[in-house]
Amino acid sequence: MRIDKSARIDPTANIASDVHIGPFAIVGPRVSIDAHTHIGAYTIIEQNTVIGSHNRISPHVVLGADPQDKKYAGEESFLRIGHHNTIREFSTVHRGTQGGTTTIGDHNLLMAYCHIAHDAEVGSNCTFANGATIGGHVVVASNATLGGLCAVHQFCRIGIHAMLAGGSMLVQDLPPYLMAQGDRARLCGINRVGLRRADFTRERIDDLHRAYKRLFLGSFSRAREEMRTAPCSREVDIMLSFIDTSKRGVCKARR
């Protein structure tokens, strides 16, 4: 364990071996940090935060701060961060509200100035480019990508392997495997590059492309009814299930 002498550690914090804590960092009450995690200088971890192993937290990050929610009245709430994440400088991740928990999975990259709000759920292997912001109760599934300076309205969902382009404003759900861009973001096709990088075969990508065209570039209701009874690939089933369970509605396609 290497803790700079200028750092401040609450006596109730649980710090594992081989954790590095840089100058002037502050670790608050009931914080747990697992082995081989690096906490940068001036970083603040406020309270009720669990951080797994092999994470790299850059300087000036704030984790576990009070939620920015007018309903919050000081109730105990939590933040849980998995393993092998990289959180770059000046990013902020807040605890849940009304006893809730904000969760981040494993192997995620949050570039500088990102914000994850209260009660959000982020899967694993996600990339948040500089300045990406998600509101309260947002769900971001694994392998999703958020471009720089994009924003996601509270309670929205982003599906697995989806991509939200830089500068976009998402106010409805973004289905799995698809791309969206623009103010009040609209769908602009499947995330073909991301799927290739994830080793999807050409056949699986083409199948998703056909499903996208049927659902979003034709008659959605008719295509959805036809696809309910026809045999579909696993990926198309995941997309259809996501659409069926949407509460905010899904993005419309750009024509």
Side-chain angles (χ1 to χ4, degrees):
M1 186 185 303
R2 293 178 294 168
I3 300 178
D4 190 272
K5 63 182 181 180
S6 63
R8 295 293 180 264
I9 312 297
D10 189 274
T12 64
N14 181 18
I15 312 297
S17 61
D18 299 317
V19 170
H20 175 91
I21 300 179
F24 300 101
I26 299 174
V27 178
R30 300 174 301 281
V31 169
S32 175
I33 305 176
D34 208 345
H36 306 291
T37 287
H38 184 285
I39 308 296
Y42 295 97
T43 283
I44 299 173
I45 307 173
E46 289 206 1
Q47 60 179 290
N48 291 347
T49 297
V50 176
I51 301 175
S53 64
H54 296 89
N55 291 288
R56 294 195 64 83
I57 315 297
S58 292
H60 298 282
V61 169
V62 178
L63 302 176
D66 289 350
Q68 298 177 138
D69 187 337
K70 290 183 177 180
K71 299 187 300 296
Y72 180 68
E75 306 93 344
E76 189 173 39
S77 58
F78 308 92
L79 167 63
R80 298 187 182 279
I81 298 174
H83 312 292
H84 296 275
N85 296 289
T86 298
I87 303 178
R88 295 299 302 266
E89 51 273 14
F90 297 101
S91 291
T92 55
V93 185
H94 291 172
R95 302 191 318 276
T97 188
Q98 296 180 319
T101 302
T102 304
T103 59
I104 297 176
D106 307 324
H107 296 280
N108 296 293
L109 170 59
L110 274 62
M111 299 184 193
Y113 294 94
C114 288
H115 175 64
I116 296 179
H118 61 87
D119 302 287
E121 300 178 30
V122 178
S124 297
N125 299 296
C126 295
T127 299
F128 285 52
N130 300 75
T133 296
I134 64 174
H137 302 276
V138 166
V139 177
V140 180
S142 295
N143 300 99
T145 300
L146 278 67
L149 301 175
C150 68
V152 181
H153 193 280
Q154 59 261 37
F155 292 100
C156 282
R157 299 183 302 156
I158 297 177
I160 188 171
H161 289 287
M163 179 175 182
L164 181 62
S168 298
M169 302 295 167
L170 185 70
V171 297
Q172 291 183 296
D173 292 349
L174 172 53
Y177 313 110
L178 303 185
M179 293 179 59
Q181 65 179 169
D183 187 0
R184 306 306 184 266
R186 288 182 173 268
L187 300 175
C188 53
I190 65 170
N191 183 17
R192 191 175 293 272
V193 172
L195 296 175
R196 286 173 180 164
R197 290 174 177 171
D199 295 325
F200 276 58
T201 64
R202 181 173 180 178
E203 291 73 21
R204 294 164 70 195
I205 293 174
D206 289 345
D207 189 39
L208 285 167
H209 181 61
R210 286 190 293 268
Y212 167 76
K213 289 197 299 182
R214 289 183 65 189
L215 286 166
F216 297 103
L217 300 182
S219 171
F220 178 87
S221 57
R222 182 172 61 188
R224 185 67 191 93
E225 288 302 316
E226 292 173 352
M227 296 170 77
R228 286 183 191 276
T229 56
C232 297
S233 67
R234 176 176 175 272
E235 287 81 16
V236 174
D237 279 337
I238 290 172
M239 185 190 298
L240 295 176
S241 177
F242 182 97
I243 294 169
D244 286 343
T245 56
S246 175
K247 295 180 180 178
R248 293 188 59 85
V250 299
C251 297
K252 305 300 187 293
R254 177 175 295 166
R255 298 284 179 172

